[in-house]
Amino acid sequence: EVQLVESGGGLVQPGGSLRLSCAPSGFTFSHYAMTWVRQAPGKGLEWVSAINNGGTSRHYEDAVKGRFTISRDNAENTLYLQMNSLKAEDTAMYYCVKLLGPVADADFDSWGQGTQVTVSS
């Protein structure tokens, strides 16, 4: 059974940083691309960033380019999202999502339970 467990969310002031982690299990992590998706209160799902299976190809939504960095450690079976210069509009539930294949534009497959990020002074 595929499981994805996010951690690292919390309350941070504008301009601050957080690093989200996602711990996968139930599949061979290094074979699949991964993505982060967020949902702000009262809004729809928003794709944030994606990374291919080997970590050599990364993609970002325009709103987070230059501020967020997606990475993965296949030896440690962990996906990361480093978030810097956080803004109030980054407040959302952040989900780790396994994709159906090794490339970053594959379809969504399995979702984690999410970790809440709140940016507020």
Side-chain angles (χ1 to χ4, degrees):
E1 178 189 2
V2 172
Q3 288 193 332
L4 301 163
V5 180
E6 301 95 333
S7 61
L11 174 64
V12 62
Q13 292 186 342
S17 297
L18 282 174
R19 187 175 80 159
L20 306 184
S21 299
C22 173
S25 61
F27 65 101
T28 305
F29 180 60
S30 63
H31 290 185
Y32 293 91
M34 300 291 294
T35 192
W36 289 97
V37 175
R38 66 185 179 184
Q39 187 169 29
K43 297 190 176 181
L45 293 169
E46 178 184 32
W47 172 80
V48 175
S49 182
I51 188 168
N52 69 339
N53 66 316
T56 56
S57 177
R58 310 177 191 194
H59 307 272
Y60 300 94
E61 176 200 15
D62 285 347
V64 307
K65 278 182 183 176
R67 300 189 298 121
F68 290 12
T69 302
I70 190 170
S71 63
R72 64 191 296 159
D73 186 334
N74 286 344
E76 295 295 328
N77 264 22
T78 307
L79 176 73
Y80 300 102
L81 185 68
Q82 178 67 44
M83 306 186 296
N84 298 329
S85 302
L86 282 161
K87 305 176 182 180
E89 50 264 43
D90 295 317
T91 294
M93 183 71 78
Y94 284 72
Y95 297 94
C96 167
V97 184
K98 171 186 173 292
L99 302 184
L100 276 174
V103 295
D105 62 353
D107 290 338
F108 292 2
D109 184 15
S110 302
W111 294 65
Q113 84 289 347
T115 186
Q116 178 67 40
V117 172
T118 302
V119 184
S120 175
S121 54

